[in-house]
Amino acid sequence: MADGSALMRNEDGIAAALGVLKQQFGERFQTGEAIREQHGHTTTWIANQMPDGVVFAQSTEEVAEIVKVCATHKVPIIAFGTGTSLEGHVNAPAGGISIDVSQMDKVLEVNSGDLDCRVQPGVTREALNTHLRDQGLFFPIDPGANASLGGMTATRASGTNAVRYGTMKDNVLSVEAVMADGTVIRTSSRARKSSAGYDLTRLMVGSEGTLGIITEITLRLQGIPEAISAARCSFPSVEAASKTVMAVIQYGLPVARIELLDTQVVRGVNAYSKLHLPEGPLLLLEFHGSEASVEEQAETFGMLAAEDGGSGFEKTATLEERNKLWQARHDAYWAMLAMRPGCKAVTTDVCVPISRLAEAVTTAQAKAEELNLFAPIVGHAGDGNFHASLLIDMDDEAETERAKVFVSWLNDMAISMDGTCTGEHGIGQGKRPYLVKELGAGTVNVMSAIKSALDPDNIMNPGKILPL
Amino acid sequence: MADGSALMRNEDGIAAALGVLKQQFGERFQTGEAIREQHGHTTTWIANQMPDGVVFAQSTEEVAEIVKVCATHKVPIIAFGTGTSLEGHVNAPAGGISIDVSQMDKVLEVNSGDLDCRVQPGVTREALNTHLRDQGLFFPIDPGANASLGGMTATRASGTNAVRYGTMKDNVLSVEAVMADGTVIRTSSRARKSSAGYDLTRLMVGSEGTLGIITEITLRLQGIPEAISAARCSFPSVEAASKTVMAVIQYGLPVARIELLDTQVVRGVNAYSKLHLPEGPLLLLEFHGSEASVEEQAETFGMLAAEDGGSGFEKTATLEERNKLWQARHDAYWAMLAMRPGCKAVTTDVCVPISRLAEAVTTAQAKAEELNLFAPIVGHAGDGNFHASLLIDMDDEAETERAKVFVSWLNDMAISMDGTCTGEHGIGQGKRPYLVKELGAGTVNVMSAIKSALDPDNIMNPGKILPL
């Protein structure tokens, strides 16, 4: 079952672990229903499955202690950062203990000479960037939510800057993690590159808490560019916009951001953010570099866009304008919600080779229309990743069913295009049925063999990623 | 034992496998001593350990067949591309079968719209770039040798372009591999990013044939830049050159190459390549971009270098000059050999955080002098990775012993600086004693658990990477 309901609760073990943890952690161990519910899944239509208790850990040593208690009693352990994941990652289908790392929120060191830093997992991306600003540095990965860096590491998150700066896999140098037996490991040195053995860093990045609990992360940083400018450009069709995106990538233009908003999103954003963007497919861009290079990038982009019928190309002149434009992009989620008040948004996350992006987006639009669903689309177009956000009246069973049909159809379509069902949200519970479809049983068996080897009792976030 | 001599030969199994493979592959299965020796390690002072037979495979299906035969008889399997690895990766300490993939040399597809391609493992990096040139594309990873892409994937190779384009881990989108039981898996879709389960792509990249045999690789490509220019700049000291490198990285200057040559190497290169470079620490650079951006990068570099006393900064004006300069860099190995005729070069490969680069290089120079060793240094300075190449008279036992002391000391020093014993060559046999020192027993135990889970009979390249 996708929701992990086939997993068995170990009642005796859970009771024993609750007793020990209460004694060890006192007030920092909570079992009230409200707090437990808040530590289950809350963001999408996936049902909430509460843990039996929540520990607020404050150090690696405490995490190791908790893991040892749970290992002794064979009780599930689920790491919790900010709870903003979208695929049920923090749910507890067989109960167990949620380790909340939000109090592990220290930036432990910043090595400005090496452009790296070491943080605890509860530091959020915004808190890190606030911490770094004075030193002229920033961390580029920006998922929609102000997620914790531990959670972002665990789900291999990305965001609007990935086209230039990569995803978490490209920006995590090393992690410290507590494994299923309570052992603490560090996966790599602080060298910028290494060929020393298996790449455990990247095995942990995206492992969704199923192999170990991440307790420290060493991150690559970037210098804040000398110049940043933003631009927007409208297109006669999604195909035309996608053609420009492909041209940009092939040209090697080092855009920092290239985001696609479809007509529905532009309409929503205009209404919500009081803008007057032309109602049609839109690309939003950001350029980073020296003053001259940013100028040149914008010019080159304008030239490439014109070839595909791009119009209304406009560079923002001031910081205020730039902020306004990107704020509108960041508010797109709320803008869409405001278009159908009372509805819940269910976000999809497919990613296809960019040569298939136009086809994927337009086919998805047509399918939504066919199913009578409202599904505005925003895309991290430079990566071929896009989110169709279904706005669903959850009280309307028929609509909810049609939405499920759409999600399933969309994932299958992406897979058929040699793409993925998840570009950046992860598998969690929600995408589990698609993993084998995407990668084949042999590949998933290898994942399961690794999981069994490192967590033989299946206590680390059971019921996520892998088949039961 | 580092050379794997504690591994036992399975004589009966080997005899049985030899018989079956002879029957199945006829002339494409060879057991002559010369060919077997050539398929063992030949490049450094690590002793040659021959396989018992060599199969020239021509397809994934054939590799799977060979693996199944070897799995049935519990016989070691060692993949062989071009044999240019430096740490004994292709040695057969317990005998077994070498699978030579050099006839699997097809570029299977190039998706120019997506900037990716799919190749067989025997394609060399130069062959791929020759194939791509007409389409305006290139593959940037360039280890010294014209290595096979399968071998480069297996060792997580990099080279002079890594500072800009990353290493193999950043440029492999997906691999197809034959696992220890003969199952063929593909690790990922062709999407530019994905959060679909464990990152098996990066687990295979750098696994040195110990988890599976790589039979296809999907690679990210780059467009050939509009403009390329090279430059050189001399410095009063290694410290001064390293300071400039740090400034370049912190500034975010997108240099494509920034290579350090120490005074000894400059001397050797001048003699070998008939150049007149000033005798002192030298940085060689390459800039990629638009005409204007390349011009601006060079100017900015000149400004940064001047602050640290850089002198003789000279941009190459012509393609011929640029080729001559980089040819000299590529010939550095031969230039060094020519400085001590009859000697063997033993190359080290440490990588440290770049803030420690100056200290690491100068301490290494002092240690070599103290041990009366000739050890010229070239470095991929932008990554903090450098190679001290010891030129050793292998007939001089005392010198050879001193060289071993140096290598061990150097690896320990890099590890003490939170660096790695291997930036790009891999662990193989030669670096096995350092893996635990670098990452700790807990981390290496996790690697061993993965190895045991995926290859329970230890037939995939046994005696490499992990403790016996």
Side-chain angles (χ1 to χ4, degrees):
Chain A
M1 306 292 292
D3 65 357
S5 59
L7 286 169
M8 295 286 285
R9 279 180 62 86
N10 167 11
E11 297 295 355
D12 294 349
I14 289 171
L18 289 178
V20 178
L21 292 171
K22 182 76 215 159
Q23 205 161 25
Q24 287 187 346
F25 289 90
E27 283 306 298
R28 285 198 282 121
F29 181 63
Q30 298 282 327
T31 52
E33 184 158 342
I35 217 161
R36 290 194 292 123
E37 187 177 338
Q38 184 246 325
H39 282 77
H41 183 77
T42 55
T43 55
T44 68
W45 59 7
I46 294 172
N48 183 280
Q49 295 171 315
M50 301 186 253
D52 293 283
V54 179
V55 199
F56 291 85
Q58 294 181 336
S59 68
T60 300
E61 293 68 33
E62 285 190 357
V63 172
E65 270 177 50
I66 300 162
V67 169
K68 279 178 191 161
V69 170
C70 290
T72 302
H73 300 288
K74 301 202 196 316
V75 168
I77 308 159
I78 304 116
F80 186 97
T82 58
T84 51
S85 89
L86 296 166
E87 294 294 349
H89 294 94
V90 297
N91 259 343
I97 304 302
S98 172
I99 304 187
D100 184 314
V101 297
S102 62
Q103 295 178 16
M104 292 174 68
D105 61 353
K106 277 165 213 64
V107 177
L108 299 169
E109 63 179 32
V110 177
N111 303 296
S112 60
D114 297 312
L115 293 183
D116 68 41
C117 70
R118 191 159 53 89
V119 302
Q120 289 187 308
V123 176
T124 65
R125 65 178 181 84
E126 288 179 5
L128 177 61
N129 279 321
T130 302
H131 185 99
L132 294 172
R133 198 165 298 141
D134 289 350
Q135 300 180 61
L137 300 171
F138 78 111
F139 181 68
I141 314 299
D142 65 334
N146 182 23
S148 68
L149 290 158
M152 287 166 62
T153 304
T155 53
R156 207 181 299 132
S158 53
T160 64
N161 285 308
V163 62
R164 165 85 171 249
Y165 299 103
T167 76
M168 287 305 279
K169 88 170 155 50
D170 306 298
N171 290 282
V172 173
L173 277 174
S174 173
V175 303
E176 179 194 81
V178 177
M179 306 306 283
D181 61 356
T183 310
V184 180
I185 69 164
R186 185 173 299 277
T187 56
S188 182
S189 74
R190 205 159 59 75
R192 284 169 74 91
K193 66 182 198 189
S194 172
S195 288
Y198 303 156
D199 193 341
L200 297 186
T201 305
R202 273 144 212 98
L203 184 65
M204 295 305 294
V205 173
S207 62
E208 304 187 3
T210 64
L211 299 179
I213 309 292
I214 293 165
T215 48
E216 276 184 22
I217 310 133
T218 304
L219 296 165
R220 255 178 112 140
L221 302 174
Q222 303 287 332
I224 294 176
E226 178 190 326
I228 302 178
S229 81
R232 63 179 175 84
C233 188
S234 292
F235 288 85
S237 65
V238 164
E239 285 92 339
S242 303
K243 252 182 97 178
T244 294
V245 172
M246 261 179 70
V248 165
I249 299 298
Q250 282 190 278
Y251 193 92
L253 201 65
V255 287
R257 290 167 154 167
I258 183 163
E259 296 282 300
L260 172 69
L261 282 62
D262 80 353
T263 307
Q264 289 181 322
V265 174
V266 171
R267 243 176 242 146
V269 156
N270 275 343
Y272 187 86
S273 300
K274 318 235 174 320
L275 294 173
H276 301 89
L277 301 167
E279 281 194 8
L282 185 87
L283 289 181
L284 274 186
L285 294 114
E286 196 165 274
F287 307 107
H288 294 180
S290 66
E291 294 286 355
S293 132
V294 157
E295 197 63 43
E296 192 192 21
Q297 288 178 53
E299 240 172 67
T300 307
F301 174 80
M303 190 191 73
L304 295 172
E307 283 178 24
D308 300 314
S311 63
F313 173 58
E314 219 170 88
K315 249 189 72 180
T316 55
T318 64
L319 177 64
E320 199 189 333
E321 263 179 59
R322 169 157 69 85
N323 287 345
K324 199 170 163 191
L325 207 59
W326 283 107
Q327 192 58 49
R329 166 62 187 88
H330 283 304
D331 289 343
Y333 178 80
W334 305 108
M336 290 185 277
L337 280 178
M339 292 177 90
R340 262 199 102 188
C343 285
K344 198 142 193 173
V346 173
T347 299
T348 62
D349 178 37
V350 299
C351 183
V352 296
I354 52 172
S355 63
R356 309 296 295 272
L357 180 64
E359 186 189 351
V361 172
T362 53
T363 316
Q365 288 174 324
K367 186 72 179 180
E369 206 176 312
E370 177 197 321
L371 289 168
N372 192 25
L373 291 166
F374 184 58
I377 288 176
V378 293
H380 308 311
D383 299 315
N385 182 205
F386 67 92
H387 308 297
S389 296
L390 301 160
L391 289 163
I392 305 299
D393 174 359
M394 299 297 284
D395 295 331
D396 182 339
E397 266 182 48
E399 184 171 282
T400 308
E401 270 320 300
R402 294 201 307 280
K404 287 184 179 165
V405 168
F406 178 84
V407 170
S408 171
W409 168 88
L410 183 69
N411 292 334
D412 287 345
M413 179 189 69
I415 291 168
S416 78
M417 290 180 170
D418 208 355
T420 176
C421 66
T422 176
E424 55 186 16
H425 294 170
I427 295 289
Q429 295 179 313
K431 297 270 169 62
R432 283 175 56 230
Y434 304 97
L435 191 64
V436 170
K437 283 189 191 181
E438 181 170 325
L439 299 174
T443 304
V444 177
N445 284 345
V446 170
M447 294 185 192
S448 295
I450 292 169
K451 166 74 172 169
S452 300
L454 302 187
D455 178 22
D457 292 322
N458 194 23
I459 59 170
M460 304 307 265
N461 210 6
K464 314 300 160 62
I465 302 182
L466 298 164
L468 295 180
Chain B
M1 307 294 290
D3 64 356
S5 58
L7 286 169
M8 295 286 286
R9 278 179 63 87
N10 167 11
E11 297 295 354
D12 292 351
I14 290 170
L18 289 178
V20 178
L21 292 170
K22 181 77 215 157
Q23 204 159 27
Q24 287 186 350
F25 289 91
E27 283 306 298
R28 285 198 282 119
F29 181 65
Q30 298 282 328
T31 52
E33 184 159 341
I35 216 159
R36 290 193 292 122
E37 187 178 339
Q38 184 246 326
H39 282 75
H41 183 76
T42 54
T43 53
T44 67
W45 60 7
I46 295 172
N48 183 282
Q49 295 171 314
M50 301 187 252
D52 294 283
V54 179
V55 198
F56 292 84
Q58 293 181 337
S59 69
T60 300
E61 294 67 34
E62 285 190 356
V63 172
E65 270 177 51
I66 300 162
V67 169
K68 280 177 191 160
V69 170
C70 290
T72 302
H73 299 288
K74 302 202 196 316
V75 168
I77 308 157
I78 303 116
F80 186 96
T82 59
T84 51
S85 87
L86 297 167
E87 296 293 349
H89 296 92
V90 297
N91 258 344
I97 303 302
S98 173
I99 304 187
D100 184 313
V101 297
S102 61
Q103 295 178 17
M104 293 174 69
D105 61 352
K106 276 166 214 64
V107 177
L108 299 168
E109 64 180 31
V110 177
N111 303 296
S112 61
D114 297 312
L115 294 184
D116 68 42
C117 71
R118 191 159 51 89
V119 302
Q120 289 188 309
V123 176
T124 65
R125 63 177 184 85
E126 287 179 7
L128 176 60
N129 278 322
T130 302
H131 185 99
L132 295 171
R133 198 165 298 142
D134 288 350
Q135 300 180 63
L137 300 171
F138 79 110
F139 181 68
I141 315 299
D142 64 334
N146 182 22
S148 68
L149 290 157
M152 287 166 63
T153 303
T155 53
R156 205 182 296 132
S158 54
T160 65
N161 285 307
V163 62
R164 166 85 170 250
Y165 298 102
T167 76
M168 288 304 280
K169 87 172 156 47
D170 307 297
N171 290 284
V172 174
L173 278 174
S174 173
V175 304
E176 179 193 82
V178 177
M179 306 306 282
D181 62 356
T183 311
V184 180
I185 70 165
R186 186 173 298 278
T187 55
S188 183
S189 74
R190 204 158 59 76
R192 284 168 73 91
K193 66 183 197 185
S194 173
S195 289
Y198 304 155
D199 193 342
L200 297 187
T201 306
R202 273 146 210 99
L203 184 65
M204 295 306 293
V205 173
S207 63
E208 304 186 3
T210 64
L211 299 178
I213 309 291
I214 293 165
T215 48
E216 274 184 25
I217 310 133
T218 304
L219 295 166
R220 259 179 110 141
L221 303 175
Q222 303 287 332
I224 295 176
E226 181 190 324
I228 302 178
S229 81
R232 64 177 174 85
C233 189
S234 292
F235 289 85
S237 64
V238 164
E239 286 90 341
S242 302
K243 253 181 98 179
T244 294
V245 172
M246 262 180 71
V248 164
I249 299 299
Q250 283 191 278
Y251 193 92
L253 201 67
V255 286
R257 288 167 157 169
I258 183 163
E259 296 282 300
L260 173 69
L261 282 62
D262 80 353
T263 307
Q264 290 182 321
V265 175
V266 171
R267 244 176 241 147
V269 156
N270 274 344
Y272 188 85
S273 300
K274 316 234 175 322
L275 294 174
H276 301 90
L277 301 167
E279 280 195 7
L282 185 87
L283 289 181
L284 274 187
L285 294 114
E286 195 164 274
F287 307 107
H288 293 179
S290 67
E291 293 287 356
S293 131
V294 156
E295 196 64 44
E296 192 193 19
Q297 288 178 53
E299 239 172 70
T300 308
F301 174 80
M303 191 190 73
L304 295 172
E307 282 178 24
D308 299 316
S311 63
F313 174 56
E314 218 168 272
K315 250 189 73 181
T316 54
T318 64
L319 177 65
E320 199 190 331
E321 263 179 58
R322 169 155 69 84
N323 287 346
K324 198 170 164 192
L325 208 57
W326 282 106
Q327 193 57 50
R329 165 64 186 88
H330 283 304
D331 289 342
Y333 179 80
W334 305 109
M336 290 184 278
L337 279 179
M339 290 176 91
R340 263 198 100 187
C343 284
K344 197 143 193 172
V346 173
T347 299
T348 61
D349 178 38
V350 299
C351 184
V352 296
I354 51 173
S355 62
R356 308 297 295 272
L357 180 64
E359 186 189 348
V361 172
T362 53
T363 316
Q365 288 173 324
K367 186 74 178 178
E369 207 177 310
E370 177 197 322
L371 289 169
N372 192 25
L373 291 166
F374 184 58
I377 289 176
V378 292
H380 308 312
D383 298 316
N385 183 205
F386 67 92
H387 307 297
S389 296
L390 301 161
L391 289 164
I392 306 299
D393 174 358
M394 299 298 282
D395 296 330
D396 181 338
E397 266 183 50
E399 184 169 283
T400 309
E401 270 319 301
R402 293 200 309 276
K404 285 182 180 166
V405 168
F406 178 85
V407 170
S408 171
W409 169 88
L410 183 69
N411 291 335
D412 287 345
M413 178 188 68
I415 292 168
S416 77
M417 289 181 171
D418 209 354
T420 176
C421 66
T422 174
E424 55 186 16
H425 294 172
I427 296 288
Q429 294 181 313
K431 296 270 168 65
R432 283 173 60 230
Y434 303 98
L435 191 64
V436 170
K437 283 189 191 182
E438 181 170 325
L439 298 173
T443 305
V444 177
N445 285 344
V446 169
M447 293 185 193
S448 295
I450 293 169
K451 166 74 171 172
S452 299
L454 301 186
D455 178 22
D457 292 322
N458 194 22
I459 59 171
M460 304 307 264
N461 210 5
K464 314 299 160 64
I465 301 183
L466 298 164
L468 295 181

